[in-house]
Amino acid sequence: MKRIPSRFRRLDAALADLPVEEPMLLTELDGFLTGLVVCPEAVPADEWMTIVWGADVDGVPPFDDPLDVQWFTKAVAARRYEVSRDLARGRLQPIFDIAERDGEVLWEYWVDGFAEAIALRPTAWDALATDPDWAASWHHLGTLIAIAHEESGLDSIAINAMQDRVADDLPDIVQRLYAARARIVGSLPAVTPASALKVGRNDPCPCGSAKKHKHCCG
């Protein structure tokens, strides 16, 4: 991975330390959060955070210290807010892994994360497929997902050509989906900056445990 800010390195390390069989990579988390922001239907945090924790932990935050849960939750929320802000400004900046040996962009992990977000609301994504502004980008993204999963029917020449452009194409594809979503279904509830989160003691805990805040991280 290329040099990234220390807060991202800390989040990457925390993801790697989760006690699950296959924890998310930072780039995968970034794709997942981007998919949530673009999704035509809002997905509650207590649902999608269980994907971040990993199914192996049954949705319960896998930290012994409530302060660690708070930090992790806020770090994830902060990145989701940044993605939402960048999309609104038309300047999405995905976090891609870069191969140290040859500098190749390992975009497949980011796309895997985006695909996980799609899987939470597949019907909502497919429902917009008849809109021309949505359909072209949706088809392009679907092709990239198929390539990442080694399920594409394209020949190797076509796949290589798409892979050569993917680092530049992906942000544009996602930006066009975001713009089409806003036009078709309207704006979803704004993503709140992590620093502005105010949680009452009887509110659901933002960590996604489904417990009241006072009985979890509060």
Side-chain angles (χ1 to χ4, degrees), residues 159-194:
I159 289 175
N160 290 338
M162 293 191 73
Q163 289 179 323
D164 288 342
R165 302 190 306 268
V166 71
D168 294 323
D169 285 352
L170 256 179
D172 182 59
I173 292 167
V174 175
Q175 281 289 167
R176 284 187 273 120
L177 286 173
Y178 178 79
R181 191 287 314 274
R183 181 183 60 77
I184 299 167
V185 303
S187 297
L188 295 177
V191 177
T192 304

Side-chain angles (χ1 to χ4, degrees), residues 19-184:
V20 295
E21 185 174 345
E22 294 186 8
M24 278 189 174
L25 302 171
L26 177 64
T27 183
E28 186 180 357
L29 173 67
D30 195 59
F32 180 68
L33 296 176
T34 305
L36 292 173
V37 174
V38 178
C39 184
E41 181 181 326
V43 181
D46 61 353
E47 179 180 350
W48 61 258
M49 275 300 294
T50 62
I51 307 299
V52 178
W53 300 132
D56 299 5
V57 296
D58 297 323
V60 179
F63 297 101
D64 295 328
D65 190 338
L67 291 177
D68 290 336
V69 180
Q70 291 179 12
W71 171 83
F72 187 90
T73 302
K74 287 184 177 180
V76 172
R79 180 54 189 164
R80 181 168 176 257
Y81 170 73
E82 289 173 350
V83 168
S84 177
R85 178 201 62 197
D86 291 347
L87 281 167
R89 293 174 176 175
R91 297 199 299 268
L92 179 65
Q93 301 178 62
I95 299 175
F96 291 134
D97 274 359
I98 307 295
E100 294 183 4
R101 179 172 58 85
D102 56 10
E104 180 183 359
V105 176
L106 305 177
W107 58 273
E108 295 91 343
Y109 297 115
W110 193 93
V111 164
D112 281 344
F114 200 105
E116 289 187 75
I118 292 173
L120 292 176
R121 294 294 186 276
T123 303
W125 291 84
D126 286 336
L128 303 185
T130 56
D131 183 271
D133 290 341
W134 178 271
S137 298
W138 180 231
H139 176 74
H140 196 166
L141 179 63
T143 300
L144 291 175
I145 292 173
I147 291 173
H149 294 170
E150 299 183 348
E151 298 171 349
S152 173
L154 297 176
D155 61 41
S156 59
I157 295 175
I159 289 175
N160 290 338
M162 293 191 73
Q163 289 179 323
D164 288 342
R165 302 190 306 268
V166 71
D168 294 323
D169 285 352
L170 256 179
D172 182 59
I173 292 167
V174 175
Q175 281 289 167
R176 284 187 273 120
L177 286 173
Y178 178 79
R181 191 287 314 274
R183 181 183 60 77
I184 299 167

Side-chain angles (χ1 to χ4, degrees), residues 12-20 23 62:
D12 189 38
L15 287 166
D17 286 341
L18 290 175
V20 295

Side-chain angles (χ1 to χ4, degrees), residues 61 66 69-70 205 207 209 211-218:
V69 180
Q70 291 179 12
C205 190
C207 74
S209 67
K211 298 179 182 179
K212 288 185 178 181
H213 186 50
K214 66 183 179 182
H215 295 313
C216 191
C217 300

